[in-house]
Amino acid sequence: MLSNVVEWLWPGASFGLANQLAQLWFGFTLLLWLAAACYSVTFIKRQVGFYWLFFIVAMSGNLLLIVAQDVLGFYLGFALMSLSAYALVIHSGSSQARRAGRLYLQLAIVGELLLFAAIVLRVHESDGNLALAELTMDSIQPLTLLLLLLGFGLKAGFFPLHVWLPQAHPAAPAPASAVLSGAMIKAGLFGLWVFVPASAVVVQQWAVVLLVLGLCSALFGAVIALWHQQSKVVLAYSSVSQMGYMLMALAIVWLSTGDARVMAATVLVGYACHHAFLKAALFLGAGACSSYRLQRFHWLAIGWCLFTLVALPLSSGAAVKYGLKQGLMAQQSSPVWLAEWLYGLLSVGALTTALLALHLWCLLRQQQMATHSQSMPAVSGWMNSGWLILVVASISMPFAVISTQPFWWASISLSAVWASSWPVLAAVLLFLIVRQIGWILPERWRDPQSRFVWLSLRAKRLYQTQSRAEWQVRWPGWRSLERQINQGLQRAELLSTAAVVLSSVMLILWLLH
Amino acid sequence: MNYALAAVLLPLLAALLALGWRRYAAWVSWGGTILSLLCAIVALQQVLSDGPQQMLLGNWPTGLAIRWQLSELTALLLLLTTVIHSLVASYSLTSLRRLQVAADFWPLSSLLQMSLSALWLSTDLFNWYVTLELLGLVAVAMVTLSGNKSVAAALRYLLLSLAGSLCYLLGVALLYGQFGVLDVAELATRMPASESHMTTFALVLMTAGLMLKGALWPLHLWLPAAHAVAPAPVSALLSALVVKGPLFILWMLWSQLATVELSHAAAGFFLFAGSMALLTGGWSALRTPYAKVMVAYSTVAQLGYALLAIGLALRSADPAFQLALWLFIIAHALAKTSAFLAVGEMQHSLGGKRVQMLKGASQTMPVAMFALAVAGGSLIGLPPSGGFLAKWQLLLPLWPEWQLWLWLLVIFLGTLLSAAYVFRLVVLAFDRADPVKPDFAPQLLPQWLALVPALLVWGLAFGSHSFVHWLGG
Amino acid sequence: MSGDFWFDTILGLVLLTLALATVRAQQLAAAVMIFVVFGLILAVAWARLGAADLALAEAAIGAGLTGALLFSALARQAKAESAPVSKSSSRSSWLVLLLSLMLTGILCFSLWWVPLQPEHHLMPLALEHLANSGTEHPVTAVLLNFRAWDTLLELIVLLLALMGARLVSSPMLQTPQRWPLASQWSKRLAPLLILVAFFVLWRGATAPGGAFQAGALLAAAAVVLRLNHQLPPLHWRYGWVRLIVLSGVLAFVVAGIASALLQYQPALLIHWLEWPLWLAKPLILFIELCATLAIGLTLTLLVVGEPEELSS
Amino acid sequence: MDFNSWLPLLIVLSSLIPGLLIFTLAEHRTLLRTCLNLSGVVIKLLLVVWMWLGVKAGEDYFFQLPFLPGGPFILHGDALSLQFVMLSSVLWLATTVYAIGYLENSPLRSRFFGYFSLCVSATVGLALSGNLVTFVLFYELLTLATFPLVVHRGTPQSLRAGRRYLAYTISGGVLLLMGAALLHSVAGSPVFMPGGYLSAQLDTQSMALIVAFVLLIAGLGVKAALLPLHGWLPEAMVAPAPVSALLHAVAVVKAGAFGIVRVVYDVFGVEVMQQLDLTWPLVVLASSTILYGSWRALQQQDIKRRLAYSTVSQVSYVTLGVAMLGPVAAIGGLVHLVHQGVMKITLFFCAGNYAETLGIHKVHELNGVGRRMPLSSVAFSLGALGMIGIPPTAGMVSKWYLSMGALEAGFPWVLGVLLMSSALNAAYFLPLLYRIWCLPAAEWPEERRLSDRFETHWMLLLPPVLTGALIVLMGVLAGTDISPLSWTELIVEREFGYVE
C-alpha cells in the first residue's frame, strides 16, 4: 500500500493505491489502455495528433482517478477522462459522430456538475475532509447519495442513464470504444464504490433498489441489443447490460457485512476486470471486422470473448457470475424473497446475454461476409498485439488475479457448471428454433432510433440562441418637447417674469413672516 | 494689512500706468498683478500668524470711516483674486496679441482685480455698492472688448447690472435711513434687535439686486450671452471672479444682518433657488449647442451649489456649510478659469462656436482639451479636486440631518448633470472618425497656461487641512 | 393750506406728468427734450427740499449733461428706424409695469414706516471731526476725506464709463453746419461757464458745490465749443488728453501715497487716505482741481468724442 | 519615514511617472516609449514582489498624507491589497507586451500608453488604499483614466460605448462618494481594519449604516457589473483588445469587486453585516447576476460581447464569495479575483489575436481556427475550460471553495446557482471550442494570411500562452506557497480573523 501526500499540488493532493483491489483496478485499466494504444497505432489514420493527445489525457485522467487519494484529485481525473473522451467520440468527424458527441458531451457536463455538487456535499458532510479514505466513514444525506448516483451513473451507463452509450460507442473509433466501454464507464462504478459509505442507513435502504435496478439494466440492455443490427451498438447495449450486473455487485457490496463484503468487493473488481478485457477485445474485433480481413484465429478470439461473455465454465465470466450469485445469497440486508427472486432472474439474464452473444456473432460474420474480404487489408501487427494482449488477459485473468481464483475453482464444480450452462443451452436452442422458423425481425423494429439524440438537438437550440437587441427606452415626441423646454428656458422675457416671480415669492415670504 | 492694501493699490497703479503708457500696458499690468500676488500671499501669512486685522480708511473713527477687514477668509479671497488674475494675465500675454483691442484689456483687467479686492476687504454697505458698480462697469467694458457683436449682450448686461445696483442702493438707503450707519459690524449690533418690515424689505431689495448681479437663479439669464460673447480671458475673469462679489455680499448680509427667523425663511428660498439653478443650469448646459455658452451655463449651475451652501449655512449652525461655500467659490473660480481659457483657445484655433468644433480635439489640441477635462472634473466634483472637497464638505454635515434628504438628491442630480455636460465635450474630443482640423497650428504655451489653474484646483484637496483650519474656525 | 403746500403739490404733479410724458412721447427728440425739462424741474424740487448740492448736481448732470448726451446720441442715430413693436415685448412691458407698480407699492408701504427723524449717528460724528478734515463743508469733508475711498472709486467709475464707450464703435457724430450765431454765442458762453465752474469748485470747500458739478460745467463748455468746431478734436492718442482724464484718480492715489509716506512709522499700520492735518486743505484742493479737469474732459469725450479719436 | 512607508507610494508612482513621461513623447519615439513602459512594468513588479515578501514576513507598509479633514490619504500594503496589486502588476506586464504588439504602427500610441499606465496606477492605488476616502479617490481616477482608452478608436460606435461607460461609472462614483460621505460623517474614515470599524455605531445609527451600505454597494456594483448596473461592460468591449483584456476584464470590474470585499470585511465587518441583516440581499444579487450574465452571454454572437457578459457573470463570483461571510467562501471569492483575472485576460488576448490576425469577430467565423492558430486556440481553450470550472484549471479551485463556502455559510441553494452557472458557461464556451477545433476551416481573407509569421506577432502570442499556462499552473499547483490560493488563505487568516 503506497499513499503519498503531495504538498505542492492542489490542497490535500495525495496519491496511492489503497488496497489490493484498487491495485487490481489500476492494473486492468492500465493494461486496457495499453492494448488500445497498441491497436490505435495503425488503426488511427486521420488527425493522429489530436487523437493521441486526447487519448493520453483521457488515459491519465482515468489512471489518476484510481490513484488519487483525495477528492479533488479524483474529480480532476474523472473530469479529464470524461471530457477528453469527447474528442475520441467525435474523432471520425462524421455527422453521426458529431451528434453522438453532442449528446455525450451534454450528458458528461451535466454529470460532471451533478458530481461536483455531490462531491461538495459529501466533503461538507465530513467536515471538509479531502482524503477519500476518511469519506467512507461518515453518514450520507439522501440528496448527496442521489447526486452521486446520478453523476456517476451517467458515466457508468446503467439502465435509465445509459442513453449516450449506444450513440457514442458506435461513433467512436474501435480502440476508443474499447477504452470507453472497458475502462471509462467502470470509473463511474469506481467512483460510487469510493464515495458512498457502505454502512450508512440511507445506503442500506437504497442498495436494495439498486440491486433491482441493476438487474433491470442487465435484462434491458441485453434484450434491446437484439433489436439492433450494428455490431457496435449491440456491444454498447451489452455494456449497459453488464454494467447492470456490476451495479448489482456494488449493491451487494453495500448490503453485505464483514467477510461477505470483502468477498463482494472482490467480485465487483473481478467483474469489472473481466468485463473490461472481454468488452475491449470485442470492440477491437468489431472495429477490425468492418474494414480488415480477419484470420481464423481472430474469429477464435472473438469466439472466446463471447464464450466469456456468456459466462461459460472455465472462463473468467463463470467465475465472476458465480461470485455474484454467492454474494447475492450471502448478504443478509435485503429480504430473502427478493434475493431468491433475483437469483432466479440472474439465469434469465444469462439467457438473454447468450442470445445477445449469438446475435452478435451472426452480425459480425455477416459484416465480414458482406464486404469483399480479399480486397481488405490484413490486420496489422500492432493491432494484433493489442488484441492479443486483451484476449490473453481475459483468458488468464482467473489465474493471474489471485482474489478471484476461489470463484473460478468453485465455478467449475458440476452444479455451477450446470447453473451457468443451461441458460446458454436454452438460448442456443431458442436461437436455432427462430433460425429454423425463419423468423426475422420486422424491418420497422430494427435499429430503433433513440429519442435522446433529438432531445439533445432541442437542448442545443435552446442554448444557442441568437442575440436579441438590448432593451431600450423610447419616449415618443421626447426630442421636440425637450426643444420646447430649452427654448422656453432661454427666452428673453423670462428674466422679467423671473423678477416678478422672485419679487412675489419674497413678498409672500415677507408678509407671511 | 499693509500688504493687503498694496494688493489693492498695485493693480490700480498698474491700470493707470497702463492707460497712460500704452505701449507697455501688458507688461505693466502683468507686473502689477504678479507683485500684488506676492503681497496677497504675505497678507495671508500675516493674517494666519497675527489673526484678523482691520483698517479704518483715513483713520477716522468707526462709523465715519470705511472699515476694511482682513480676516482669513478675505485674505484667501484676495489671494484667489490675484492668483486667478495673474494666471489669466499670463495667458493673455501669450494669446492676446491676436486681439485688436488688446491694449484696453490690460487696464480693465487690472481695474477688475482692484475693484474685487476692494470689495473683499470692505465691510461698508455703501462702499460695497461702489465696488459693485465698478465691478459691473468693468465687466461690461470688458465684454465689449470683442467688438460689435458683443454690444447687444453687453448692453443687456449693463442695464441689468445697473438695475441690480439700484435695487441694492435702495436697500442701502432704507437701512441707512433707519439706522444711520453703514458699517456692517455696527449694523449687525442694531439691526437684528429692531427688526421691522422696513429692514426686511431692505434686505429683500438688496438680495434681489445682488442676485441679479451675481446671476443667481432665476435672474441668471443675462449671464450666458455675456460670458459667451466675451474674449476667452475676459470670460474667465467674469465667470471666475465677478459673479463671486455679489455672492460674498449676499452671504455677509444674511449671515450678519438678518434675524434668525428671517434668515431661516430666506434659507428656504436660497435652497430652492440653488436647486433650481443646479438643475436648470445643468440641463441648459447639457443641451446648448455652443461651447462657451455651455461653460457659461455651467457657471449658473455651479452658483447653485453656492446658493445651496448659503441656504444650509443660514439654516444650520454647522460651520462646515460655510466652509463648503468658500471652497465652492475657490474651486469653481479656478476650474472655470481653466475651462474658459481652454475653450477659448480651442475656439480660436479650431474655428466655430459650436460644441461640434471640439470633435477630435484630443488629438489636435491635446493640452487644451486635457485642461478642459481636468477643470470639468473639478466642476463635477471628482476627487481629489477642489470641487470634490467642497462637495464633500457639503455632504458631510448634510447626511446626519435626515430631513434634508431632498437636497442630497439635488446635489446628486446636479453632479450627474455636470458630469453629463462635461463629458459631452470630452467624448466629442475623442472622435477620430471625423475630427475638425485646426485652422492654423495651435500655440502650445497658452494651452499649458490654461491647464495650470486646472492642475491647481486638482491639488486643492491635499491642502484641505489648511482650508478647514483657516475657514472653518 | 399754505402757498408752500400748493407749490409743492403742483411741483410734484408736474414732475409726474413730465415723467409720464417722457415715457409716452412718440418721437425720441421730444422725449429727450421733455427729459431735460424734467431734470430742471427735479433740480427745483431738490432745492425745495433743502438739498442745494443735489439741486446743483441735478441741474448740471441730470439736465445739462444727460441732455447733451442724449442729444448727441440722437445725432449719432442713423435714420430713425422704428423697430416693430413685437407682441412679446408688449407682454414684457406689461410685466415691467407690474413690477414697477409692485415696487412702488412696497416702497410707499415701507416709507410709511421710516421714522421721520432717523437716529443719525454719523452726522454728529462728522460735525465733530469736521474741524480736522481740512474743509468746512460737511459734504465735501465726507466726499474727500471721511469717505475719500468711495470718491476715488467713483472717479474710476467715470473713467470706466469712458473706456467702455471707447470700445463700442459708434456711427459718426452728425455735427450741425457752422452756424455763425451759435459760434458767437458759444464764444461768449464758454468762458462764462468755465468761470462758473471754478467758482463752484472753490465754493465746495464751504458751501454746496464741488468737483463733480464743476466738472460737469466744464464739460458743458467744452462740448459747446467742440460742437461749434472751436476746439480741435480731442484724440485719445494724445498723451495730455489721457493724462488729464487720468489726473483725478492719479491725484487721489498720489496724494494718498504721499501722505502715507509722510506719516510713515515702521511699527504702525499705514492708514490709507489719511491726510495729515496741516496738508489736508491743499491736498483736497489739489485733488478737487485735478478731479474737475478729469471729469470735465471725460464727460466731454463721452459726449463728443469721435470714434476714430476714441478707439486707438 | 523610512523606506517601508514609502514603498506603497513608490509602487503607485512606478507606473504613474512613466505614464506621464509617455504622454510627452512624440509619436515616433517607439523605442523610448517601449523602454519606458517596460522599465515601469519591471520596476513595479520588483517592488511588488519585495512588498509581497515583506508582508509575508509580517512587515507593515503604511504611507500617510493629510488629505480630507478626518480622512487622510493612506496607502497601506496589507495581504488583501497585495492580492490585487500582484494580479494587476503581473497582468500589466503581460498586457504591456501584448499592447506593444497589438498597436504596432497604429496612431496615437503615446496617448494610449500614457493612459494605460495611469489606469494601472489608479488600479494599484485603489488596491493599496488604506481607507475609504483614498479608495474613493482612486476609484474615480480609474474611471477617468479608463475612459480615453475605451474611446481610443474614436469611431462613433466606441464613442457611444464611451458615453455609456461614463454614464454608468460616474453615476456609480457619485453614489459611492455619497455613501463614503455618509460613513465619514457617522464614523470618520479610519484605516480599513479587519472586522470593520462600525460596530460602535451599530446601535445608534443602524439606519444610516444600511443606507450607506446600499449606496456603497450601488456605487461599487457599477464597476463590479452587478445586475441592473452591468450595462456598460458589454458596450465597452469596442475598446482595443489590450484594454478589454486588462481593464475591463481585470482592473475595472475587479476594482468594484475588490471594493465590495473591502466594504464587507474591512468597513462593515462580519458582525455588523450580520446584525444588520445585509448578507442575503447581496448574495441574492450576486447570484442573480451570475445567472443573468451567463444567460445573456449565451445569446451573444460577437465573441468579445460574449466574453463581456461572461465577465459580468464571473465577477459576481467574487461578490458572492465575499457576501456569504464564511471563511471558505471568502477564500473562494478572493481567489477567484485572481483566477478570473488570469483566465479572462487570456480569453481576451486570444479574441484579440483572432480579430487582429484573421479578422474574426463573430462566433460563427471561428470555424477551424484551431489549425491556423493552434497556440492561441490552446490558450483560449484553457481559458474557456477554466471559466467553466473544469479541473485542473484555476477556475475549478475557486468554484470548489465557493461551493464549500456556500454550504458552510448556510446558503445551500447557492450551490445550485453555481452549478447552473457552470452549465451555462459550458453552454456558451463549449460551442466556441467545438468550432475552433472540430469544424473545418473557413476561407480567410487573403490579406489576413500573414504567411511570413507563424501565427501572429510574437508579442501577441506570448502573453496569452503564458497566462494560459498560468491558468493550469494555478489550478494544479494550488497548494504551493506562491499560489494565489495559499495567499488567499493567508489573507483570510490574517485579515478577516478567521482561523482554519
Side-chain angles (χ1 to χ4, degrees), chain D residues 450-481:
Chain D
L450 294 173
S451 55
D452 53 333
R453 284 175 178 171
F454 162 55
E455 265 189 37
T456 180
H457 196 282
W458 67 269
M459 283 182 140
L460 295 182
L461 197 55
L462 191 62
V465 168
L466 289 182
T467 51
L470 262 187
I471 295 173
V472 178
L473 289 181
M474 285 192 309
V476 173
L477 304 183
T480 37
D481 274 354

Side-chain angles (χ1 to χ4, degrees), chain A residues 495-509:
Chain A
L495 189 65
S496 43
T497 319
V500 171
V501 171
L502 181 63
S503 315
S504 337
V505 167
M506 287 187 153
L507 193 65
I508 291 165
L509 209 144

Side-chain angles (χ1 to χ4, degrees), chain B residues 117-183:
Chain B
S117 307
L119 190 150
W120 302 137
L121 290 173
S122 177
T123 58
D124 186 282
L125 284 184
F126 185 75
N127 191 241
W128 271 339
Y129 163 72
V130 180
T131 50
L132 270 182
E133 191 72 302
L134 202 55
L135 209 56
L137 275 175
V138 173
V140 172
M142 287 181 91
V143 170
T144 57
L145 276 175
S146 34
N148 275 338
K149 60 181 177 182
S150 64
V151 170
L155 203 62
R156 202 164 166 204
Y157 184 14
L158 175 69
L159 290 176
L160 288 172
S161 172
L162 284 178
S165 300
L166 281 180
C167 276
Y168 176 81
L169 186 62
L170 199 53
V172 173
L174 285 175
L175 286 186
Y176 183 72
Q178 192 167 10
F179 299 106
V181 284
L182 287 168
D183 192 88

Side-chain angles (χ1 to χ4, degrees), chain B residues 92-104:
Chain B
S92 311
L93 261 189
T94 61
S95 73
L96 254 189
R97 282 191 202 113
R98 51 201 185 212
L99 216 67
Q100 292 285 310
V101 283
D104 279 329

Side-chain angles (χ1 to χ4, degrees), chain B residues 179 181 183-194 256-257, chain C residues 121:
Chain B
F179 299 106
V181 284
D183 192 88
V184 172
E186 295 229 349
L187 262 180
T189 58
R190 299 167 202 208
M191 241 181 87
S194 69
Q256 308 224 348
L257 301 187
Chain C
H121 302 281

